[in-house]
Each structure stands twice: as structure tokens, then as C-alpha cells.
Amino acid sequence: MTSLSLPARRTATAAIAALVAGFTLCASSTASSAEQRTGHRRPGPARIVGSGDFVLPYVSDSDVRSFSFDVVAAPYSIPRPGIPTGLPVDARGTIRISHYSAEQNVTYTSEGQVECLVTGPNTATVTALITKVSHEETGSLGKRVGLSVYDGGKGGKTDRVGFSWNGVNLLPNSKDAEVGTCMAPAPYAPVVKGGYTVTHAELAPFPRP
């Protein structure tokens, strides 16, 4: 077999390199297009984002109640007594709560620092410590609250929320019970305006020592 001259070998090498680069680019574009078609993305942290007004199914009034979430999982980021590594449910972010009382013509607001997040497909439970309140007489400053979200899909028309106060978390003597981390009732209240997006992610394994 006749060997290639040096210029010919250089030309062939360049052609092969161009073909490889083109194939890689094509494969990358194809994978990207497939991701767009199927909706699959590389795994990321669990999240809840969005804002929505909701109604209580057992109350008929003109009040306006709303929750806003900007929450992201941050596994093993909050050291605790006896658990210096933190927990797989650790999270960060903010919740904002608003309740306009039509009877009193007053809007009560509060803000909480998120500490815990657990998700499942289309669902999430989060707890936060209340750090700001518009009316101190509500007694919620410094308390832990639990909230849940159901993401019903685009448009938010079937989204729902749940929360740990308003008579759903009581002791046998009818006093409010303490809320544990990531504890909240099922999302029982229908969202009527706005909506939420829940990004599910499996809990991360404990770090190796």
C-alpha cells in the first residue's frame, strides 16, 4: 500500500478531526433536542417557587389569603445538637404569608426563614421559623410553621396548599401543638389565583465519614 505524503497525512488528519468535532456537536444537539422534547433535565436540587391566593374549603368569607415560596434544598447544611453534619432535609429560602381580613379591613403578613424541605412528585412539605410579623399580637413571631404544596401542573388551576395552624394541629386539650421539622398537613386548600412549581429530588445519602 502506498503511504501518504506528509501534506496528505496532515490533510487527512484535519478531515478526521473535523468529522469527529461535527459528530460530537451533532450528538450534543440531538441530546439537547431530546431533552426539550421529553422535558427531562439533569437532576437538580428540590425546590418550591411561586405565589398564590387560596380559599378555605370550610369557610365562606371575603378574606384574601396567600402564600409565597422561594425555597431550595440544601442538604447537610444546618448543624444540629448531636447531628453536626446536618440532615438530608435541610433547606434555605423564604416563605411569605398574607391574610387580608375583610371583617377587620386589616392585612396580616409574616415572613419565615426556611429550615426543612421534603418533596415527592408534584408535592412538597416545608417548615420555617417566623422571623418577621406585621402585627406582634398574633403571637407567631419565633414559631415554627409547616406548609404543604400540591403542584397540579401548568396554570396552577389545580394547585393546593396546606398549613399547620387554623385548627388543624391541636393537642387533645385544644391547644396548639408544636410543629416538628418538615411536618405539615396534606394540601387541603384550593389555589384560586397564581400557582406553584415543585421540583422533586430524592433525598441525598448521608455523607461518608
Side-chain angles (χ1 to χ4, degrees):
M1 180 180 294
T2 304
S3 60
L4 294 174
S5 64
L6 181 58
R9 286 200 300 270
R10 287 176 176 171
T11 300
T13 300
I16 293 171
L19 285 171
V20 171
F23 176 79
T24 302
L25 180 62
C26 180
S28 176
S29 299
T30 302
S32 177
S33 298
E35 284 185 353
Q36 292 176 2
R37 290 195 303 271
T38 62
H40 292 307
R41 294 290 185 273
R42 292 181 180 180
R47 292 180 179 273
I48 314 173
V49 294
S51 180
D53 296 352
F54 61 92
V55 295
L56 297 180
Y58 50 85
V59 173
S60 179
D61 57 25
S62 299
D63 290 10
V64 180
R65 302 169 175 87
S66 66
F67 294 153
S68 295
F69 294 88
D70 185 5
V71 180
V72 62
Y76 308 105
S77 63
I78 305 176
R80 292 174 171 82
I83 315 175
T85 60
L87 295 170
V89 295
D90 290 345
R92 63 176 182 270
T94 304
I95 62 165
R96 293 179 175 85
I97 302 166
S98 177
H99 178 193
Y100 168 71
S101 170
E103 181 180 358
Q104 301 174 26
N105 193 27
V106 174
T107 299
Y108 297 91
T109 62
S110 58
E111 184 175 306
Q113 181 179 348
V114 171
E115 57 172 357
C116 191
L117 171 66
V118 174
T119 64
N122 306 316
T123 62
T125 300
V126 60
T127 50
L129 298 174
I130 298 299
T131 55
K132 296 180 182 179
V133 295
S134 60
H135 296 72
E136 292 187 4
E137 64 268 25
T138 60
S140 59
L141 186 63
K143 287 189 175 182
R144 177 185 288 118
V145 295
L147 304 96
S148 59
V149 173
Y150 170 70
D151 176 2
K154 293 182 179 179
K157 293 182 179 180
T158 58
D159 290 3
R160 302 174 73 88
V161 294
F163 50 100
S164 61
W165 60 99
N166 211 49
V168 299
N169 185 39
L170 299 177
L171 295 170
N173 59 6
S174 296
K175 290 185 179 180
D176 288 340
E178 185 177 351
V179 176
T181 54
C182 277
M183 294 291 101
Y188 56 85
V191 172
V192 294
K193 181 181 179 181
Y196 306 99
T197 300
V198 173
T199 301
H200 169 56
E202 301 294 343
L203 294 179
F206 278 97
R208 294 181 178 180

